[in-house]
Amino acid sequence: METWPIQVIQAFNRSKFGRDETKNYELIIYKPIQPILQEGPQCGIVALAMAMSNQSTNTTVQSIFDKAKELLYTIQGELFDARVIPQLYDSDANHEPCIKKGHRAHWLLVHGHLKEITSSPSNEYDLVLVQHGKSKFLGAFSLLDLFQSNGQLLEADPKRRIETEYCLPKDGSLQETLCNLFIAI
């Protein structure tokens, strides 16, 4: 841990396993990402822009938004289809993964992995290093929690379904467009 970048140490200490002294972690991979804070419902576009910035491209949030709007994937920047864009999950008040059936759907970018090396060969206690558009700080989320949260994205929040300013699947179902889908860049 003493050789980890300071952002990774801070994220680990804030994580759900950060205070568990019985576990040891190895930093498998970490690619620093410059955070971009979102304005409005643009978390998917912001996650994609952060990923693209790591690829040495000149892609901006605005250029992605303009293209997504031109292709009728979005109205305000919302994206409810993983087939067109990084990782989606239900976001709790502290931005950790939660189980809300898709009502708190939020995009993030996974760009690091901390492997728990003392308990078992499973991934039960592994952490992924993440960035999302609602915080400038690196996060360390449970990989298992993230998979479980993604796997239960079933429906758009009923409040969003009655608003006409969102580009949602016609029936409000997220099973075909978000549930159990991950984007690798």
Side-chain angles (χ1 to χ4, degrees), residues 51-79:
M52 297 302 292
S53 72
N54 209 30
Q55 304 296 321
S56 300
T57 66
N58 209 9
T59 306
T60 65
V61 171
Q62 188 63 47
S63 66
I64 296 169
F65 170 72
D66 291 344
K67 189 63 169 179
K69 196 166 182 175
E70 175 189 323
L71 295 171
L72 303 177
Y73 291 143
T74 189
I75 295 172
Q76 302 181 78
E78 74 288 349
L79 290 174

Side-chain angles (χ1 to χ4, degrees), residues 7 12 28 41-42 47 85 97-98 105 128 130 132-133 138 149 169 175 179 181-183:
Q7 309 92 306
F12 174 77
I28 303 299
Q42 294 186 328
I85 151 104
C98 66
V128 288
V130 303
H132 59 83
L138 180 68
S149 181
Q175 281 189 286
C179 185
L181 295 175
F182 301 84
I183 288 51

Side-chain angles (χ1 to χ4, degrees), residues 64-122:
I64 296 169
F65 170 72
D66 291 344
K67 189 63 169 179
K69 196 166 182 175
E70 175 189 323
L71 295 171
L72 303 177
Y73 291 143
T74 189
I75 295 172
Q76 302 181 78
E78 74 288 349
L79 290 174
F80 284 95
D81 194 336
R83 297 169 300 183
V84 297
I85 151 104
Q87 172 67 43
L88 191 79
Y89 70 112
D90 263 337
S91 174
D92 214 343
N94 65 356
H95 306 297
E96 291 269 339
C98 66
I99 306 295
K100 304 276 186 182
K101 293 174 47 179
H103 295 200
R104 307 256 316 155
H106 187 58
W107 290 96
L108 61 75
L109 176 65
V110 174
H111 58 106
H113 179 204
L114 290 170
K115 175 78 178 148
E116 198 280 322
I117 55 176
T118 52
S119 293
S120 71
S122 77

Side-chain angles (χ1 to χ4, degrees), residues 4 7 16 18 28 51 62 64 66 99 103 109 131 135 142 152 156-157 171 174 184:
W4 296 357
Q7 309 92 306
K16 86 185 254 185
I28 303 299
Q62 188 63 47
I64 296 169
D66 291 344
I99 306 295
H103 295 200
L109 176 65
Q131 201 73 51
S135 176
S142 160
Q152 56 82 56
D157 185 338
D171 63 358
L174 305 178

